[in-house]
Amino acid sequence: MQDLLQTYQYTRNQTKALCKPLKTEDYTPQSAEFASPPKWHLAHTTWFFEEMILITYFKNYHVFDETYSFLFNSYYNSIGERIERKNRGLITRPSIEKIYDYRTHVDKHITKLLELNTSKEIIDLTILGINHEQQHQELLITDLKHTFSCNPIYPKFSKTNYLTSKNKTTGWIDIPEGIYHVGYEGAGFCFDNELGKHRVFLEPFKISNALVTNAEYIEFINDKGYQQAKYWLDDAWHWVNQNKIKNPLYWKLIDGDWYQYTLSGLQPVNPDGILTHISYYEASAFAFWAGYRLPTEFEWEIASKQLDWGAVWEWTNSAYLPYPNFKIATGAVGEYNGKFMVNLMVLKGASTATAKNHSRNTYRNFFSPNTQWQFSGIRLAK
Amino acid sequence: MQDLLQTYQYTRNQTKALCKPLKTEDYTPQSAEFASPPKWHLAHTTWFFEEMILITYFKNYHVFDETYSFLFNSYYNSIGERIERKNRGLITRPSIEKIYDYRTHVDKHITKLLELNTSKEIIDLTILGINHEQQHQELLITDLKHTFSCNPIYPKFSKTNYLTSKNKTTGWIDIPEGIYHVGYEGAGFCFDNELGKHRVFLEPFKISNALVTNAEYIEFINDKGYQQAKYWLDDAWHWVNQNKIKNPLYWKLIDGDWYQYTLSGLQPVNPDGILTHISYYEASAFAFWAGYRLPTEFEWEIASKQLDWGAVWEWTNSAYLPYPNFKIATGAVGEYNGKFMVNLMVLKGASTATAKNHSRNTYRNFFSPNTQWQFSGIRLAK
Amino acid sequence: MQDLLQTYQYTRNQTKALCKPLKTEDYTPQSAEFASPPKWHLAHTTWFFEEMILITYFKNYHVFDETYSFLFNSYYNSIGERIERKNRGLITRPSIEKIYDYRTHVDKHITKLLELNTSKEIIDLTILGINHEQQHQELLITDLKHTFSCNPIYPKFSKTNYLTSKNKTTGWIDIPEGIYHVGYEGAGFCFDNELGKHRVFLEPFKISNALVTNAEYIEFINDKGYQQAKYWLDDAWHWVNQNKIKNPLYWKLIDGDWYQYTLSGLQPVNPDGILTHISYYEASAFAFWAGYRLPTEFEWEIASKQLDWGAVWEWTNSAYLPYPNFKIATGAVGEYNGKFMVNLMVLKGASTATAKNHSRNTYRNFFSPNTQWQFSGIRLAK
Amino acid sequence: MQDLLQTYQYTRNQTKALCKPLKTEDYTPQSAEFASPPKWHLAHTTWFFEEMILITYFKNYHVFDETYSFLFNSYYNSIGERIERKNRGLITRPSIEKIYDYRTHVDKHITKLLELNTSKEIIDLTILGINHEQQHQELLITDLKHTFSCNPIYPKFSKTNYLTSKNKTTGWIDIPEGIYHVGYEGAGFCFDNELGKHRVFLEPFKISNALVTNAEYIEFINDKGYQQAKYWLDDAWHWVNQNKIKNPLYWKLIDGDWYQYTLSGLQPVNPDGILTHISYYEASAFAFWAGYRLPTEFEWEIASKQLDWGAVWEWTNSAYLPYPNFKIATGAVGEYNGKFMVNLMVLKGASTATAKNHSRNTYRNFFSPNTQWQFSGIRLAK
């Protein structure tokens, strides 16, 4: 219990620490419907604890502000109406000061609750809330990068640029055919979409030790990769043409040299660096051009014990669909993962922006195949 | 060889037979980007034989009209520029008479070729062309239904309404766990996306003998199925709300009774009839509401020997992705299937509009999860 | 009365004569929301006589088909629901044969009515219907040209290409300052928007005898007219850039030479020919580039007695707004003109596609400033 | 000269005074493409002085920051590339502190310049810059109101709600027919679009002393004004239906009573209060319903000496078009007004948000007919 409280406090402080370099002006605007403002992340994660735990389990709890559920609910239909996603950047009030007060208020009550009450529901929901907050820590970074990238003066946010300078290993790993167990089983935390350990049959395959580098991807660009339909899925080809995509997100060609916007400002693209900010569409086209393919999520999971990972989220060739025994939890928590199981692709691994101890080899991250603003990259298979 | 020629001729005549009830005015317009006009289907299937076979294999062949490749190429980037998909309905010229001349011209040459030449390439491409034409026969019917349905006077096109009046069997089939073989292997024709027979492990499951009926679906509607977010995937819920979907395509509520537009005109919905014209989104919501789920494509394929099928295409819970050893053919034919392997769901079975002998239990039909205009229905699993 | 009957019959026959070169396939499709199919024009003009005259004034008249009011009402809200404008091209049934029967039926009854009845209401409405049909004769030609132009094989529709080969006169006309009378007054027919002869004060101005030619406009193009913001109104500049406009509608640059699609097929642009198919935005930019301006509708009207006109509709710098004593008629006829008096610009004159005896110097034609598909051109003033 | 300097300083301070109640968070977000953030207004007006005056006339002037021209140019194509209008709300950096430094820097230099230099160009441009800043003072208020109105907690910004509680006079003013002079002539400042005093002929008319009140407009609403096509222009009717407009902007019906969001928070609608935040479309529909019409800009100007005005901007029935002798100035200043002369309607008068001494009876304000977010109202004529 004391451990849980410490983890709670550590995680909550970590979120605030991430916001240290922000100016007040940075907290509110929203640069795209898919991205949320820092203020919103700070408030929403707090609301999650208030809504899922304090309102039900803290006797005589008074909600900090009745309007916050409307403002900071993300997508829980069962909890009620909420502000349109695209309008999150217009909440100039409450001020950021108020939101920090909100965090303090909720932290105080959660702390009290954890000191007194040891019911399994509260423990489980607190652990869920912590993992939820860790997910938003990563989103806070990726969303911020997107907002700053829209500013033509390329602000420098932090000392770290969140990029990985090179691969640690090379070569291919051989995995023989067989029945394998996938999915989570154990005493620790996992999300509901990982549950239901089950068997899959895998044909033999090879998977690369190294992630695709910037230099390798520049070869693809120079070989007119973005101009030739034959490398692309049909939807991908429309996406490339409609959006005039010619390179990974944040890359700019300046006088013949590639630069990229990073959270440390505009920097030259390092040839040895691990490629990131590419969509599934680009990952798939690159793999086809290179004569390989992407691994499935199960291949990745089985190979993962031998892989070094944590540099970028790795696109797999698996659609995000329910495991055989997937169950949707009752209540609002049931909306956490299950309702997104269509039209998305699975990513495995973790990125430099992922919170420590947050990911697992059974972890299933999922995004739309056109997503570029996450720290996403490519590992090849054959 | 004689057999192949007969099948060729039978199939080509069958396409014309389907168009018998059409007036000249019906051949040209296009009601939606996803649907094509009859004239276009008649010409495109002919172009396929000309482009893939005659130009390469018929010595000194003169193309019927140089402009047709631009007008009647569907989606083959490797062959060149083509008319925008949404503009297919503006090709008032060439007249339909000319298109029938085009068919005669190509038929004459293919017949000659098949009478003389027995190379494997030509035989394989002819068989592909025949299967291609059969696919367009079904599309011709579904597209026509869509166009007619946009006409407020509800034209009657044919005597058959293409609906199935009831299930032949009921109850559940039990399939035990195990390693199963899926995919096509054999001497007959199949599409490239079925190839590479391979092993999958299936957990034990049950699958329904009967398809969902109209009466069952009306229960879902009456239980406010379309008004409650909890039954729907998140993308599905947006789709329902943005498009104000309240029922299967072609259904109308008139004075409290359900009617549906059919190719025999507007008719009352038969409660025992097999439900059709629903999207994957609706299939998934219905299954969730009913306390079941949809089968995966592999579950369906393994159970299929025990199933009666052919009434409607059945949505599975599998995304359309490549099989482990999927290979993309070189040349234009390689664009047939592979490039669509993202964002689509697999349907298994066949419908009342499918050409005879066209489908197989390894057949993988695929459409976007919001597709309603195909003859698509629901089989439940658990 | 006999005269009116003759004019009626002449006009009705004229519409049919225009359709002579059409194939059945040409009657139905619609290439843009602003354009209507020939079948629709044929039916709508007929419906106008049925709805406005026969239903009210012909005793025991039976409407030809109850569904036609839904199908062929254009924009009369007071008459009831109607098919969405963008779906006019999907009315494959009724067939064109049926529509010709409809015309015969209505003609027979109108003829009877005119032979018997001489009430002022009927006479006035018949004259309105004739003028209405004449307007649709012009639209039939311009809409058809648009549809054909979308067909990459550039069909030839008629012997006449509807273009004017050169100006008859040159030089400037001087008009002194003064109070002038504008608007229609007299015994003949005019539209309600011309009524209310009234006084305006005009400052002195000059107006050109000649219309702008293709050669003059090519100079503007060659001087990078379409690439320089300074010549364009702000809305115009957005329009040019969003739609990538680089030339008048139907023009194509082929190997350095200008061609244009005409109803006689693709033809070289004649340098001396009168420029047409340009929007108000282009007219205004050209005038600014040339150091002149467009005349106002009143300047044009006052100068018109000295002008040769009839080649193209001429954009004026006047917004389409009500005259001081404009009155909206009661009933459906009141929707004819008045409700369009915002966001449109006035054109004066007539074009080669305008029906004979249809226009007047008080006539106010009106279109959106981005309209190109009418036979519209430029006369300069200063 | 000393006077001009004082006016300059007064105006610049006035802008800052308006921003007093703002929190730092309020300065950056943008709620709609047509509205700009406070930070942007503060910087843009400053950039105007820097760009139009200091760069040219202040010897050895160093621009404060090279990136600001890209960030804070509004629409001057001749000055160069600039940030897309819709992205003005993403400029979190420079911080608002920096922008206040920018203002101080520019103020210091303009002050020096005015103390030393007396050239006519500088004086004229300074006066233009002051008037420009006054225009942005009004926009700052209207844009802020829009942003705050999007926040479901309805922030209170100021003590004043910027509404006018009632009319001072009633009855009609009679104006006889005649030739009148309109447009500006004199020694004071006016915008280029007012120049060229010229003659117009007006037919006799009456114009109302009183502006339309909330109670009168509620009558229109209660009479199903928003539900009946017959009162509306065609474009207006589409606008009403597409945007589901049912009342003036900022009005809400709560339990049968009308409330409106004001800069002092949500308040009941005062029946006697002057109606505001309505579009030209609504003004025109109301006038038609009431049996009257809107005045033209010239009628208004001639009657203005007898009118009390300053409560709201008053929609006229005149399109915003050039006066007979309108000349576009050379250079960037030429883009100030002229390029907007299409698709907009003229408003006359001034509003409670207009800077003191800013308006004149020859002043031509102009907005798109669907504009609601300005303080706009209705005066009737007949």
Side-chain angles (χ1 to χ4, degrees), chain C residues 36-216:
Chain C
S36 297
K39 190 202 285 182
W40 193 88
H41 286 299
L42 288 167
H44 165 69
T45 48
T46 306
W47 166 86
F48 191 91
F49 285 109
E50 186 179 58
E51 179 71 38
M52 303 288 178
I53 300 177
L54 295 179
I55 285 175
T56 313
Y57 298 101
F58 196 105
K59 218 181 154 183
N60 297 326
Y61 178 75
H62 282 80
V63 297
F64 183 76
D65 188 310
E66 294 287 349
T67 64
Y68 285 15
S69 185
F70 188 91
L71 295 175
F72 302 120
N73 175 0
S74 52
Y75 56 65
Y76 296 88
N77 294 308
S78 54
I79 289 169
E81 294 293 308
R82 60 192 176 276
I83 195 167
E84 277 186 85
R85 188 174 178 119
K86 68 180 171 54
N87 287 341
R88 288 179 183 170
L90 303 178
I91 312 173
T92 67
R93 319 277 181 103
S95 68
I96 185 60
E97 219 185 315
K98 260 287 180 66
I99 296 304
Y100 278 121
D101 292 349
Y102 180 36
R103 289 184 71 88
T104 305
H105 174 87
V106 164
D107 285 351
K108 201 180 68 188
H109 286 81
I110 290 283
T111 301
K112 262 192 204 162
L113 201 64
L114 291 182
E115 282 169 355
L116 295 173
N117 193 320
T118 53
S119 87
K120 169 121 177 55
E121 287 95 341
I122 294 177
I123 292 172
D124 283 355
L125 284 168
T126 303
I127 294 172
L128 179 63
I130 289 167
N131 277 274
H132 174 254
E133 181 131 0
Q134 289 175 323
Q135 291 184 315
H136 281 275
Q137 287 169 359
E138 178 153 8
L139 289 171
L140 199 151
I141 293 165
T142 55
D143 294 358
L144 206 54
K145 184 168 181 178
H146 192 268
T147 301
F148 280 157
S149 81
C150 296
N151 190 329
I153 67 175
Y154 298 131
K156 294 182 190 191
F157 168 70
S158 67
K159 280 190 194 141
T160 170
N161 66 9
Y162 287 92
L163 302 177
T164 304
S165 57
K166 61 176 178 178
N167 282 298
K168 292 192 185 151
T169 48
T170 57
W172 297 87
I173 298 165
D174 260 283
I175 308 281
E177 75 171 51
I179 295 183
Y180 292 94
H181 283 82
V182 294
Y184 188 83
E185 194 180 51
F189 171 82
C190 78
F191 286 110
D192 56 357
N193 59 11
E194 304 165 56
L195 279 174
K197 188 172 179 126
H198 63 285
R199 289 162 287 181
V200 295
F201 184 89
L202 296 184
E203 302 284 343
F205 67 99
K206 288 179 201 296
I207 190 165
S208 171
N209 265 313
L211 293 163
V212 170
T213 64
N214 292 325
E216 287 162 345

Side-chain angles (χ1 to χ4, degrees), chain A residues 21-31 39 67 70-71 83 89-97 147-148 150-153 155-157, chain D residues 21-26 28-31 39 67 70-71 83 87 89-97 147-148 150-153 155-157:
Chain A
L22 290 174
K23 288 190 181 295
T24 305
E25 287 88 339
D26 300 327
Y27 279 100
T28 303
Q30 178 181 29
S31 55
K39 190 203 284 184
T67 64
F70 188 91
L71 294 176
I83 195 168
L90 303 179
I91 312 171
T92 66
R93 318 279 179 102
S95 68
I96 187 60
E97 217 183 319
T147 302
F148 280 157
C150 297
N151 190 329
I153 66 172
K156 295 184 191 191
F157 169 70
Chain D
L22 289 176
K23 288 189 181 296
T24 305
E25 287 89 340
D26 300 328
T28 302
Q30 178 182 29
S31 54
K39 190 203 286 185
T67 64
F70 188 91
L71 295 175
I83 196 168
N87 287 342
L90 302 179
I91 312 172
T92 67
R93 318 277 181 102
S95 67
I96 186 59
E97 219 183 315
T147 302
F148 281 158
C150 296
N151 191 330
I153 67 173
K156 294 183 191 192
F157 168 71

Side-chain angles (χ1 to χ4, degrees), chain B residues 225-266:
Chain B
Y226 281 96
Q227 282 86 56
Q228 296 180 70
K230 66 182 172 186
Y231 303 132
W232 298 82
L233 289 161
D234 195 55
D235 280 5
W237 187 238
H238 285 108
W239 174 77
V240 160
N241 286 294
Q242 266 179 26
N243 300 286
K244 295 184 188 138
I245 307 288
K246 291 172 184 154
N247 45 256
L249 189 62
Y250 304 135
W251 285 34
K252 323 257 161 200
L253 195 61
I254 303 177
D255 297 335
D257 291 316
W258 284 108
Y259 287 78
Q260 61 186 322
Y261 175 68
T262 77
L263 283 166
S264 307
L266 196 70

Side-chain angles (χ1 to χ4, degrees), chain A residues 31-176:
Chain A
S31 55
E33 186 156 353
F34 58 72
S36 296
K39 190 203 284 184
W40 194 90
H41 286 300
L42 288 167
H44 165 68
T45 48
T46 306
W47 167 86
F48 192 90
F49 285 108
E50 186 179 59
E51 179 70 40
M52 303 288 178
I53 299 178
L54 295 178
I55 286 175
T56 313
Y57 298 101
F58 196 106
K59 219 180 152 183
N60 297 326
Y61 178 75
H62 281 80
V63 297
F64 182 77
D65 188 311
E66 294 287 349
T67 64
Y68 285 15
S69 186
F70 188 91
L71 294 176
F72 302 120
N73 175 1
S74 53
Y75 56 66
Y76 297 89
N77 294 308
S78 53
I79 290 169
E81 293 294 307
R82 60 189 176 280
I83 195 168
E84 277 187 86
R85 188 174 178 120
K86 65 179 172 55
N87 287 341
R88 288 179 184 170
L90 303 179
I91 312 171
T92 66
R93 318 279 179 102
S95 68
I96 187 60
E97 217 183 319
K98 259 288 179 66
I99 296 303
Y100 278 121
D101 291 349
Y102 180 37
R103 290 183 71 89
T104 305
H105 174 87
V106 164
D107 286 351
K108 200 181 69 188
H109 286 81
I110 290 283
T111 300
K112 261 192 204 160
L113 200 66
L114 291 181
E115 282 168 354
L116 296 173
N117 193 317
T118 54
S119 87
K120 173 127 177 50
E121 286 94 343
I122 294 176
I123 292 172
D124 283 357
L125 284 168
T126 304
I127 294 171
L128 179 63
I130 289 168
N131 277 274
H132 174 255
E133 181 130 1
Q134 289 176 323
Q135 291 184 316
H136 280 277
Q137 287 169 0
E138 179 154 8
L139 290 171
L140 199 152
I141 294 165
T142 55
D143 294 359
L144 206 54
K145 184 167 180 179
H146 192 269
T147 302
F148 280 157
S149 80
C150 297
N151 190 329
I153 66 172
Y154 298 132
K156 295 184 191 191
F157 169 70
S158 66
K159 281 190 192 142
T160 171
N161 66 8
Y162 286 92
L163 302 177
T164 304
S165 58
K166 61 176 179 179
N167 282 296
K168 290 191 187 152
T169 49
T170 57
W172 296 87
I173 299 164
D174 259 285
I175 308 281

